[in-house]
Amino acid sequence: ESREHGDDWYGTMALLGLDSLFAQTLFWTYVSLWVSCHLLIFQSRQPNSPAFNATSVVLLTEALKLLIALTLVLWNEGGFASLVRAVQGNRMLLVKYALPALLYCVYNNLVYVNLEVFDPGTYNVLLQLRIVLTGLLYQLLFSKQLNRHQWRAIILISVGCVVKESAKLSHGTDVMQAPSSPASTTRCSSRALVAALSPSPPT
């Protein structure tokens, strides 16, 4: 039975394109860094931590990512002149990317605000509701049908959010939630991500 479970797990990884040790390592590293980032932000917003400006942190982070992206583009595309030509030839595409980039910047600032109110475990669980909303809007607005695995993931995420907050529903909103461990939060986030991305098997 354990062997069959292992075969199913590796089959799911292969369907996601994680069919090599490097790809799986990269995937789990990303999930771990994502969760660790929220834990560190939560700790940095505690009363005994040094004060800092969250907007400045977001600005410096985005500037670093821009520098890395430009370096990679210049390295692979052959110089700054080719980058300028690509931008001039695709101005509308640049404008289309500007709106999600602005929303992403707002989101990064809201992370610091949210982690002043929620502990990392609660925040990471409730954050998965965006997958639920995205799935529902995807089906309603684009007339696309979600498969069985995706609906199963949406239901599991919704149930997980209700279970996580059930203590507050029964004891009031002043119940303090203990921060979840990085391992448990990583497992919950990665399982939801894998379930949501897994395609439905052919019928």
Side-chain angles (χ1 to χ4, degrees), residues 124-143:
N124 279 305
V125 171
L126 295 179
L127 189 63
Q128 306 312 315
L129 284 174
R130 65 182 179 180
I131 299 178
V132 177
L133 182 60
T134 301
L136 295 177
L137 290 177
Y138 176 75
Q139 179 157 314
L140 292 174
L141 298 180
F142 297 99
S143 300

Side-chain angles (χ1 to χ4, degrees), residues 128-161:
Q128 306 312 315
L129 284 174
R130 65 182 179 180
I131 299 178
V132 177
L133 182 60
T134 301
L136 295 177
L137 290 177
Y138 176 75
Q139 179 157 314
L140 292 174
L141 298 180
F142 297 99
S143 300
K144 301 290 186 179
Q145 294 297 319
L146 301 177
N147 60 48
R148 287 179 297 171
H149 286 318
Q150 290 169 331
W151 276 115
R152 189 182 305 167
I154 287 177
I155 293 173
L156 288 174
I157 291 170
S158 302
V159 172
C161 293

Side-chain angles (χ1 to χ4, degrees), residues 2 23 30 33 42 60 63 70 76 85 87 124 147 152 171 192:
S2 59
Y30 167 77
L33 289 175
F42 174 76
L60 292 174
L70 287 175
N76 294 309
R85 287 194 299 270
V87 171
N124 279 305
N147 60 48
R152 189 182 305 167
H171 296 93

Side-chain angles (χ1 to χ4, degrees), residues 5 7-18 23-24 27-28 30-31 34 128 131 147-154 156-157 185-201:
H5 178 72
D7 292 340
D8 291 341
W9 173 254
Y10 286 113
T12 302
M13 291 289 102
L15 288 173
L16 293 174
L18 305 175
Q24 293 179 20
F27 172 77
W28 291 113
Y30 167 77
V31 174
W34 182 68
Q128 306 312 315
I131 299 178
N147 60 48
R148 287 179 297 171
H149 286 318
Q150 290 169 331
W151 276 115
R152 189 182 305 167
I154 287 177
L156 288 174
I157 291 170
T185 307
T186 301
R187 285 195 298 269
C188 293
S189 301
S190 59
R191 286 173 181 171
L193 181 61
V194 169
L197 295 177
S198 298
S200 178

Side-chain angles (χ1 to χ4, degrees), residues 14-52:
L15 288 173
L16 293 174
L18 305 175
D19 52 356
S20 66
L21 179 61
F22 174 76
Q24 293 179 20
T25 301
L26 191 63
F27 172 77
W28 291 113
T29 300
Y30 167 77
V31 174
S32 300
L33 289 175
W34 182 68
V35 174
S36 300
C37 175
H38 292 159
L39 292 172
L40 291 173
I41 293 175
F42 174 76
Q43 184 61 36
S44 70
R45 307 305 284 177
Q46 299 306 299
N48 57 346
S49 300
F52 64 92

